[in-house]
Amino acid sequence: MKRWLTVGVAGAVATALATACTGCGGPLDPGTDDPHTLVVHSRFAPGTYGADTYASVVAQFERENPDVHIKNLYNGDDIFNSFETARLADKEADVLLINLYDKAYSWTGLGATPPVNRYLEEWGLKDRVESRALKAWTDDKGRVRAFPWTGFTWPVLVNSKLLHRAGIEKPPRTMPELRAALKALRAANIPAMTIGGNDWSGQKFLMQVAQGYMEPAVAKRVFSKGGYCAEPQARKGLRLFAQLRDAGLFVKGAQGLNADQMNADYLEERAAMMPAISSTIAAVPAPLARHTKIAGFPVPSDGTYDKPTVYNGATSTGIWLTPNGTEKPDLTEKFVKFLYRKDVVQKFIDKSGYVMTMRGQRPSKGRPLVSESSRVTHGDTVSEVVMPDDYVPPAVSTPLNRATSLAYTRGTDVQAMCKALDTAYRS
């Protein structure tokens, strides 16, 4: 029995393998592939964010290496479960392109994926990686889980045209400015901020606002173990969230919205603000981008931070090796080195607006809003808060999203909010 997976489900293995292979034209069984085939499992299914760029660079790789074939396997959000089930059957792909999230945090420590420390050194790639990215992908035992590849920015987008219509000259930076802006937007009948209050997007923003009064060490502890009700700083942060919610910060019915609906609200200019990860920023059309400003979220004057806050991260996508992949060292080395190459990395920056974690790359000229988000969120006018995903236990993520919806329901008090959050850790 694999010590990192204790569920013996032969039927589920077959089902997951079939699911993982949707649209890939062949079974997920690297053992049956010839030694010149590299099996790559990712989310780059046709029509998804970055898929066209990925397809073009894979085609380029095969042209440059005519003796190597890439077999692509695709999954959406189920990719974590599909990989684990395939690994249980020793039929996992050779390379996995996926973010560091949820159960993936445990894979290297439990033996599901090998650390890549020695490959970074032997293949001469360590100096290509930004130090922050290398740190983010390294566990507490010093093991680098995967080759760092893409990161993200997560600021607040502000529609300056809608602000001006309400008589607001610039994005609010302080809490008094935000409260004044909410009053002006309400008077002009303009919804202030759209948010996916019923999924991960709303959960992240709730935690961002709550950190207005939470010191980083406290945030890390609470995100890791719960105890929101017992922690005064967390309660104070949740009280701030409730006050802003009831003052009209969010669009009507925010507690029932998801990230797609949130994005549609902003892209169709039905709301003045939206917290947005860089993949969404890349999708902002040029006319809207021209009057969109990048900002942090205002903080209270007596809080933990003295500048508006943002999330930043380096864990959007890593290039993971698998036990099967280590049996094809020549092919995996060629492919990883290719994905690290400057011209290839630049294609993802220019064509898809990716935030890459490689040194020595230039900003995207064709997607200036993404470049601006990187400039602002890595600059000295904002403060970076703790990313919950780095600390929230995998089993808690989904229950925490459900608890988030309650927090976005107008009138919900702090006790009900923190109790729901704490319950998520016990579910």
Side-chain angles (χ1 to χ4, degrees):
M1 179 180 290
K2 300 291 187 296
R3 67 184 182 90
W4 59 278
L5 266 180
T6 59
V7 182
V9 282
V13 171
T15 300
L17 299 188
T19 301
C21 189
T22 301
C24 69
L28 175 50
D29 187 355
T32 67
D33 286 314
D34 69 74
H36 301 293
T37 295
L38 191 71
V39 184
V40 181
H41 194 177
S42 76
R43 292 184 178 183
F44 287 118
T48 60
Y49 171 59
D52 289 345
T53 305
Y54 176 72
S56 72
V57 301
V58 167
Q60 179 184 346
F61 176 80
E62 291 184 327
R63 288 194 303 270
E64 295 181 12
N65 301 274
D67 59 330
V68 181
H69 170 62
I70 299 297
K71 176 191 282 188
N72 285 300
L73 310 172
Y74 305 119
N75 265 119
D77 290 340
D78 195 47
I79 191 169
F80 298 96
N81 291 330
S82 294
F83 166 73
E84 288 193 347
T85 309
R87 178 71 200 104
L88 180 65
D90 292 319
K91 295 180 182 293
E92 81 279 1
D94 303 313
V95 173
L96 189 65
L97 302 180
I98 197 172
N99 53 323
L100 181 57
Y101 176 66
D102 199 65
K103 58 183 68 180
Y105 275 92
S106 66
W107 287 346
T108 301
L110 295 175
T113 57
V116 301
N117 302 59
R118 74 179 183 92
Y119 299 109
L120 278 165
E121 295 282 0
E122 292 174 4
W123 297 350
L125 299 177
K126 188 174 181 179
D127 290 342
R128 277 285 284 140
V129 184
E130 295 177 351
S131 57
R132 68 184 183 93
L134 199 60
K135 180 179 179 181
W137 283 90
T138 302
D139 68 14
D140 57 5
K141 303 293 185 182
R143 297 170 296 208
V144 184
R145 298 178 174 97
F147 296 92
W149 198 44
T150 75
F152 61 86
T153 58
W154 205 327
V156 175
L157 302 188
V158 182
N159 185 321
S160 60
K161 185 173 71 174
L162 292 182
L163 289 192
H164 292 161
R165 191 179 297 171
I168 305 166
E169 294 185 1
K170 59 184 180 179
R173 285 186 54 84
T174 66
M175 202 54 62
E177 287 178 358
L178 176 62
R179 294 181 187 277
L182 294 181
K183 184 176 180 180
L185 288 166
R186 190 165 56 249
N189 200 31
I190 298 172
M193 175 178 283
T194 183
I195 190 70
N198 198 32
D199 70 3
W200 56 268
S201 60
Q203 183 224 105
K204 300 302 179 295
F205 189 70
L206 168 64
M207 300 307 181
Q208 180 177 352
V209 176
Q211 288 186 71
Y213 285 107
M214 295 171 70
E215 297 170 357
V218 171
K220 293 174 183 178
R221 172 172 52 79
V222 173
F223 293 158
S224 298
K225 301 178 180 179
Y228 294 82
C229 287
E231 174 49 59
Q233 292 183 10
R235 291 181 64 91
K236 197 170 182 180
L238 292 174
R239 185 172 297 109
L240 172 65
F241 179 88
Q243 291 170 349
L244 294 174
R245 177 202 63 203
D246 293 345
L249 175 60
F250 306 114
V251 298
K252 185 178 180 179
Q255 70 273 18
L257 300 182
N258 60 32
D260 289 340
Q261 293 165 315
M262 171 188 76
N263 294 340
D265 274 347
Y266 188 83
L267 296 180
E268 295 172 19
E269 302 195 64
R270 295 195 296 264
M273 295 180 285
M274 174 180 75
I277 197 167
S278 46
S279 57
T280 299
I281 297 173
V284 175
L288 176 55
R290 283 193 285 271
H291 55 264
T292 288
K293 302 297 183 183
I294 302 292
F297 189 74
V299 293
S301 59
D302 60 341
T304 299
Y305 299 93
D306 59 359
K307 300 172 185 175
T309 62
V310 297
Y311 287 127
N312 265 314
T315 55
S316 280
T317 307
I319 309 171
W320 301 70
L321 298 187
T322 72
N324 278 332
T326 59
E327 295 178 6
K328 300 177 181 178
D330 292 342
L331 270 61
T332 54
E333 180 178 359
K334 282 183 180 180
F335 189 62
V336 174
K337 282 184 173 179
F338 177 81
L339 292 180
Y340 261 50
R341 216 168 69 187
K342 281 192 174 184
D343 62 309
V344 174
V345 170
Q346 198 63 49
K347 283 187 177 181
F348 282 95
I349 295 172
D350 291 339
K351 294 185 177 182
S352 295
Y354 269 60
V355 175
M356 308 299 287
T357 58
M358 306 291 106
R359 300 179 188 271
Q361 303 291 154
R362 61 172 174 75
S364 172
K365 295 178 180 178
R367 298 178 184 271
L369 198 62
V370 178
S371 299
E372 178 68 2
S373 76
S374 291
R375 186 190 69 78
V376 171
T377 61
H378 292 114
D380 57 6
T381 61
V382 295
S383 298
E384 182 178 341
V385 292
V386 176
M387 170 54 68
D389 290 353
D390 294 341
Y391 299 94
V392 172
V396 176
S397 294
T398 299
L400 205 57
N401 287 345
R402 291 196 294 266
T404 293
S405 179
L406 181 65
Y408 281 92
T409 303
R410 288 177 66 90
T412 303
D413 64 19
V414 172
Q415 183 63 26
M417 290 165 62
C418 71
K419 183 178 179 181
L421 294 173
D422 282 338
T423 299
Y425 286 76
R426 298 191 295 271
S427 60

